[in-house]
Amino acid sequence: MDNDGPGQAACDKFARKLGLNRCYVVKPDSRDTTRIKDANDALRAGVDMRALIAAAEKPEHQDIATFKHLREQVLHEIRHPDEYNGTPIHTLPELTKVIKGFRKGEMALVTGPTGVGKTTLLSQMSIDVARQGVNTLWGSFEVKNTRLVKKMLQQYHGNALIKPGTADVIDGIHAVADQFQQLPLYFMTFHGGSEVDQVIDAMDFAVCATTLSTSSSITCSSCSLDLGMKLKMLIKTLISKP
């Protein structure tokens, strides 16, 4: 079989027919820069055929890896751990110490009973990463956006927005709002029951229109389990786009 895509596919097909436990696959050394397509090319190139045959291995499955396939990446992570840390949450240093930040392509699920503070926690996290320039998309399916942003604006300011003992807003409220508006925060307008396809379409648009894919964070608050599971794979796909 030729050492190319179709040849490898045919090799796999024949190995399955003959029995994977009975077959070995002979491949050129991956470090060899010579383009060897088949055994004839190997002979003409003066390749040590005995060594190639001795190095033959059992057929591999494209979705199954061994340490040999992972070795270099694992060793690189061991040598350079800082390169694999995600976006830190500076206002929650103990959490960051444990999870090493939020990494591209990963999904973090925050669960708990009503009123425990999930939305407050996620709001703080999204404000923190947005301050670092990370584009963040919110999907709040239970709490209305106006109520959510009101809470976030107060968290951003760090103090009450109403003067103590009065119903008057603080001086400089517009300056605080102006600063908050500069954060790369986006909010989907869905509320309550929502069609998954519509939500997916909005998320896909956000990726294209706001460069959400570059070191992005997608936060879904109070969504149903069914919707959450369907969004899981989509989120991984969207934030892994180049």
Side-chain angles (χ1 to χ4, degrees), residues 15-29:
R16 290 177 184 277
K17 288 184 177 181
L18 295 173
L20 295 176
N21 61 321
R22 301 170 56 194
C23 299
Y24 285 83
V25 178
V26 178
K27 293 183 179 181
D29 191 329

Side-chain angles (χ1 to χ4, degrees), residues 32-94:
D32 192 344
T33 57
T34 306
R35 295 186 62 84
I36 297 175
K37 187 176 181 180
D38 53 27
N40 190 44
D41 285 350
L43 286 170
R44 287 189 296 185
V47 174
D48 187 341
M49 299 298 291
R50 291 181 181 273
L52 277 185
I53 294 173
E57 299 178 341
K58 290 283 189 179
E60 299 175 345
H61 191 284
Q62 63 179 3
D63 295 321
I64 298 177
T66 65
F67 178 63
K68 180 184 72 174
H69 302 96
L70 306 173
R71 173 177 176 143
E72 291 306 315
Q73 184 175 346
V74 170
L75 295 180
H76 190 274
E77 287 194 26
I78 293 173
R79 296 190 187 102
H80 310 282
D82 292 342
E83 292 184 19
Y84 295 88
N85 290 341
T87 303
I89 309 298
H90 295 304
T91 53
L92 299 169
E94 292 302 316

Side-chain angles (χ1 to χ4, degrees), residues 2 10 16 37 85 93 100 111 113 130 133 143 145 151 156 172 176-177 188 204-205 215 217 223 233:
D2 291 344
R16 290 177 184 277
K37 187 176 181 180
N85 290 341
K100 308 301 182 186
T111 65
V143 180
N145 283 338
K151 178 189 291 286
Y156 173 79
V176 175
M188 290 189 286
D204 198 22
F205 175 84
S215 185
S217 170
C223 62
M233 293 306 297

Side-chain angles (χ1 to χ4, degrees), residues 83-87 100-108 134 207 211-218 235-242:
E83 292 184 19
Y84 295 88
N85 290 341
T87 303
K100 308 301 182 186
F102 291 103
R103 289 168 290 275
K104 183 177 180 180
E106 293 187 355
M107 179 178 183
V134 177
V207 170
T211 63
L212 187 71
S213 57
T214 52
S215 185
S216 61
S217 170
I218 300 178
I235 291 172
K236 286 189 174 183
T237 301
L238 293 181
I239 64 180
S240 296
K241 285 184 177 181

